[in-house]
Amino acid sequence: MNNQQTLARGWAYAFFSVLVLWGLNNVMIGYSAQVLNANYLVYTCSAFVSCALFLLLVGGKGPLVKETLRSIDTWVFGLIMLIGYMITLSLFSYVTSTEGSLLQRISLLFSVIVSFIFLSRAPTKSQLIGILMVLIGIVIVCRDLPEENRGMIYLLMFLEGMALTARMFLAEIHRPHAHAISMVKDPRAKARVVGFVMFVISTFFLILTGLLALLQTVAPLPIENAIIPTLDSFKHTPSIVAGMIAGVALVAPLRLIEFSSANIIKTENFLAIAALSSAATFFWEWLLSPLTGMSVKAVSTNDILAGVIITVGCMVAALGQMKKQSAKKKWEDDLRYAPQNIPAVEDSREIIANSLEHYSGDIKKVASALDINPSTVNALLDDKDKVLAFKTDVLKNVARLYRRHVSSADALTGLINRAGFMTALKETSDPYALLYIDLDKFKPVNDTYGHDAGDAVLVDVAEKMKRTLPSNALIARLGGDEFCAVVFNINKAKADDYIKQLKLTLSEPLNYNKNEIIIGASIGIAFAPNDGTDPEALLKIADQGMYDEKKNR
Amino acid sequence: MTPTDQDRRKASNIDETDIYKASDIDAFINKERRHDELDRLREIKEQKNIWLYTVLFCAVLNIILIGLAIWGAINS
């Protein structure tokens, strides 16, 4: 999966989680509280505990278990989530749920500031416009707030915004989760990591809720407060059953997607999309009202106006970023101004120069092989003052691709060269047959028809070898008219068959400028592990076999 | 160049996924003589144990909550 596909998946995940999972989860919370009379904290405990068990079972046994539990990221995430929930509950005790969810959007401002200061992600125009619209919307919401509680509401709004921002940033940079994403062969690793994170959070929640319930039972608060549970709240069947269903069906996929999406599309963008949660909740409430029996709450005109402005603002910020991320990369994305860093500048120029030589000056092919924009190649070619170099993270990828496509490839035939061949052989553990092929009557071709004809013959030989040998065979041009091929998991009889076929195919005439060129091939063979496992030694054995054949002819 | 433990680990014939799936990891440990492989197997054993104990603890929490819910349902 390439970068663009990964990004598209990240955005799709974010929209799905907010529009479907987040909306349904809010409806479920509302249904539990209003229809089932569930205690919110007990409901949340059950949801988190069942979510943790579900994700742990889905994740299964595997690596990153210890790392996740011992990671400070996990514990800080749990603590911030706990604090965030407490702040949310406090905020929602002063304002309506619609007002509360609109005030939460202050998180867009905090996330853009944090990403700029700590992660060097400069805000874009669309983000700045989005933030401005969010602030206007928040001012509109605040106009209607009860005057006596405004100070407390403002404080809780800022704390809530900061907690949400911190939580999502921790999801984005969570180190064990980032490691899990890179483990392509173990797709369940992400669920395992998030499962352990949820386990930590559920333990936090259970301890806190249990303590609150105990205190409320032993020494009740003098005020009536439905949120604080008693020990009897833990025996409220609907709270626990509804929580457990929500935990498995909604919270588990929501957390899993939240982590992946924040990592891929970045926190500030995920929080911008989160603005749709209010509209999504309203939609699901309306759609499911015949089933739930809940009436859709009337929302004041003031809140509708604020909601529209805030949602549009967040969408402007999110869609602007989406467009920017999906746009074709410019050379400024790959290169940096580094006049002081002479080695970096020289390395970058050398990579481009060698690659251009390898691809006969074809800029598009170079750009494609190194996964950079053609304008990057042009920018480095035009850099007469020698001040441009690849950015550090880009250089890592470019160097890897350069090693794979250029430094280990034969420019004429496109086969791998000697260095690439030896590296590949050292990395293989399967048994194989190594064929050493030297062309017969090649020198007269060069002498008679010129070097262009010789080059044409070499290209033709490479094509014929690819056609004759199995698709997983490793074919290399060692230099001059010497080729090598490695065929995996074959016995001697099969290897002899391939040698016969190769000799037959390579002796077929090649038409070059109305001339018929006929060559032949001498082939030596060595088997790994029967003749040894050291590639250099095997190459010598096969070379000797080829030489003996040539001599005995 | 002398191969490092990491090189040897990369060249190991035992697939890590198979070891995680194996019910008796001690059989691998008793058979293994290379110290770097032993370290790896012990690490996997520790990871498996932590996972198992966490799942058991989490399952117990779930059972307690379900038990309380059932108790509440019976009493009401």
Side-chain angles (χ1 to χ4, degrees):
Chain A
M1 193 176 277
N2 64 31
N3 283 348
Q4 290 301 322
Q5 285 170 323
T6 309
L7 267 175
R9 196 189 57 182
W11 284 97
Y13 277 175
F15 275 107
F16 174 75
S17 73
V18 172
L19 290 174
V20 180
L21 298 173
W22 206 326
L24 282 173
N25 195 38
N26 286 346
V27 174
M28 188 69 175
I29 291 169
Y31 177 75
S32 306
Q34 291 166 35
V35 181
L36 303 177
N37 290 319
N39 178 275
Y40 181 70
L41 286 179
V42 174
Y43 167 89
T44 309
C45 279
S46 324
F48 283 3
V49 166
S50 64
C51 164
L53 183 62
F54 177 70
L55 286 175
L56 286 173
L57 291 173
V58 170
K61 294 171 202 163
L64 295 178
V65 165
K66 199 169 64 177
E67 292 81 351
T68 309
L69 266 187
R70 288 182 186 168
S71 168
I72 186 75
D73 301 1
T74 302
W75 292 86
V76 176
F77 183 91
L79 197 64
I80 287 176
M81 194 156 177
L82 180 74
I83 294 167
Y85 259 77
M86 295 302 124
I87 297 169
T88 309
L89 285 179
S90 310
L91 179 66
F92 280 54
S93 66
Y94 288 102
V95 295
T96 65
S97 56
T98 311
E99 287 168 344
S101 69
L102 293 175
L103 293 177
Q104 278 178 337
R105 300 284 76 83
I106 191 82
S107 54
L108 180 66
L109 170 68
F110 292 130
S111 62
V112 170
I113 294 173
V114 172
S115 69
F116 175 55
I117 296 174
F118 296 104
L119 301 167
S120 306
R121 295 203 289 256
T124 58
K125 269 184 200 166
S126 58
Q127 281 178 327
L128 294 174
I129 294 169
I131 289 169
L132 187 68
M133 291 178 78
V134 167
L135 291 176
I136 293 169
I138 287 174
V139 170
I140 294 172
V141 175
C142 290
R143 277 195 320 184
D144 262 10
L145 295 176
E147 274 187 30
E148 65 274 17
N149 295 326
R150 273 191 189 172
M152 181 55 84
I153 293 169
Y154 293 159
L155 177 69
L156 289 171
M157 174 181 74
F158 282 114
L159 291 175
E160 165 78 1
M162 282 195 271
L164 191 55
T165 304
R167 194 186 96 197
M168 289 311 298
F169 267 109
L170 277 166
E172 181 190 328
I173 62 167
H174 192 268
R175 279 163 286 193
H177 183 259
H179 191 171
I181 287 177
S182 67
M183 292 168 66
V184 185
K185 285 183 184 171
D186 186 3
R188 291 161 74 188
K190 284 177 277 189
R192 194 179 310 128
V193 168
V194 179
F196 273 91
V197 174
M198 288 311 294
F199 166 73
V200 169
I201 295 167
S202 59
T203 314
F204 270 147
F205 259 81
L206 257 183
I207 293 170
L208 185 92
T209 313
L211 278 174
L212 273 175
L214 190 68
L215 287 171
Q216 185 70 357
T217 308
V218 177
L221 283 172
I223 51 163
E224 191 70 27
N225 194 330
I227 288 173
I228 298 177
T230 61
L231 287 178
D232 279 342
S233 306
F234 279 98
K235 288 191 281 180
H236 187 244
T237 316
S239 301
I240 289 167
V241 174
M244 290 207 159
I245 293 169
V248 172
L250 298 168
V251 181
L254 188 59
R255 290 286 167 267
L256 206 54
I257 292 177
E258 226 173 61
F259 265 80
S260 290
S261 196
N263 184 282
I264 297 169
I265 68 167
K266 308 305 169 201
T267 299
E268 57 275 30
N269 301 322
F270 188 87
L271 287 176
I273 293 174
L276 289 172
S277 64
S278 309
T281 308
F282 188 81
F283 169 76
W284 288 110
E285 255 178 8
W286 167 77
L287 190 73
L288 298 174
S289 57
L291 280 175
T292 58
M294 291 192 299
S295 55
V296 180
K297 280 181 201 160
V299 184
S300 71
T301 322
N302 196 57
D303 288 348
I304 291 176
L305 177 66
V308 169
I309 293 173
I310 288 175
T311 309
V312 170
C314 286
M315 284 307 101
V316 167
L319 296 176
Q321 283 292 96
M322 197 154 87
K323 199 176 158 194
K324 190 189 167 201
Q325 286 183 355
S326 62
K328 266 193 160 183
K329 285 173 82 182
K330 295 176 187 162
W331 69 266
E332 291 95 328
D333 296 325
D334 292 332
L335 301 175
R336 65 192 162 115
Y337 182 70
Q340 306 297 323
N341 195 344
I342 295 166
V345 172
E346 292 296 331
D347 285 351
S348 305
R349 297 174 69 85
E350 194 179 327
I351 286 174
I352 293 298
N354 289 346
S355 304
L356 278 168
E357 194 184 328
H358 181 79
Y359 289 108
S360 313
D362 191 328
I363 290 175
K364 276 188 183 168
K365 277 187 183 170
V366 171
S368 167
L370 302 180
D371 192 24
I372 51 176
N373 194 283
S375 65
T376 306
V377 182
N378 282 321
L380 278 168
L381 289 175
D382 295 341
D383 179 27
K384 305 286 179 230
D385 298 331
K386 298 185 180 177
V387 291
L388 294 176
F390 282 116
K391 288 179 179 174
T392 314
D393 54 333
V394 177
L395 182 62
K396 273 185 197 167
N397 190 41
V398 166
R400 183 177 59 82
L401 294 170
Y402 173 75
R403 278 196 298 276
R404 187 194 294 170
H405 297 303
V406 182
S407 68
S408 63
D410 176 51
L412 178 67
T413 58
L415 300 175
I416 51 173
N417 62 19
R418 189 185 186 99
F421 182 68
M422 297 314 285
T423 309
L425 271 194
K426 279 170 191 163
E427 285 171 0
T428 187
S429 54
D430 292 337
Y432 59 82
L434 189 153
L435 313 182
Y436 199 109
I437 301 135
D438 187 86
L439 302 184
D440 300 331
K441 296 179 272 182
F442 179 71
K443 196 172 174 293
V445 174
N446 269 337
D447 294 343
T448 315
Y449 305 107
H451 286 286
D452 285 348
D455 287 352
V457 168
L458 293 172
V459 172
D460 183 56
V461 166
E463 287 306 314
K464 283 174 176 167
M465 284 179 75
K466 280 189 217 167
R467 238 176 24 227
T468 311
L469 296 172
S471 57
N472 67 343
L474 204 62
I475 308 171
R477 181 181 168 217
L478 301 187
D481 60 346
E482 290 178 356
F483 291 81
C484 237
V486 160
V487 188
F488 298 97
N489 301 311
I490 56 162
N491 54 25
K492 192 174 181 314
K494 188 75 185 157
D496 286 341
D497 277 352
Y498 277 125
I499 291 176
K500 272 182 201 164
Q501 282 176 40
L502 266 179
K503 284 186 173 175
L504 204 66
T505 317
L506 295 179
S507 61
E508 285 170 8
L510 164 73
N511 284 317
Y512 179 80
N513 284 351
K514 295 178 186 168
N515 295 305
E516 203 170 64
I517 300 174
I518 299 175
I519 55 157
S522 302
I523 304 176
I525 190 164
F527 290 92
N530 293 1
D531 295 329
T533 50
D534 177 34
E536 291 285 359
L538 286 166
L539 211 58
K540 272 186 192 162
I541 294 170
D543 184 23
Q544 187 59 47
M546 180 275 295
Y547 182 72
D548 290 345
E549 189 192 324
K550 226 179 234 295
K551 209 168 59 176
N552 296 333
R553 188 164 292 166
Chain B
M1 195 173 70
T2 316
T4 63
D5 281 356
Q6 270 189 339
D7 294 333
R8 278 195 286 265
R9 192 174 284 193
K10 273 182 197 164
S12 169
N13 290 325
I14 312 171
D15 189 356
E16 203 159 275
T17 325
D18 293 336
I19 308 173
Y20 271 110
K21 282 180 191 162
S23 55
D24 184 15
I25 197 165
D26 286 329
F28 283 97
I29 291 175
N30 293 335
K31 218 165 56 181
E32 188 58 59
R33 289 291 171 267
R34 273 163 50 183
H35 72 91
D36 57 310
E37 273 297 302
L38 271 174
D39 288 346
R40 188 169 77 113
L41 290 170
R42 288 193 185 114
E43 167 81 16
I44 291 174
K45 188 181 175 185
E46 196 185 351
Q47 298 264 23
K48 278 177 77 169
N49 285 343
I50 294 174
W51 179 87
L52 187 67
Y53 293 137
T54 312
V55 166
L56 284 176
F57 183 70
C58 210
V60 168
L61 291 180
N62 275 273
I63 290 166
I64 290 172
L65 284 174
I66 291 168
L68 286 167
I70 293 170
W71 186 17
I74 292 168
N75 284 346
S76 64

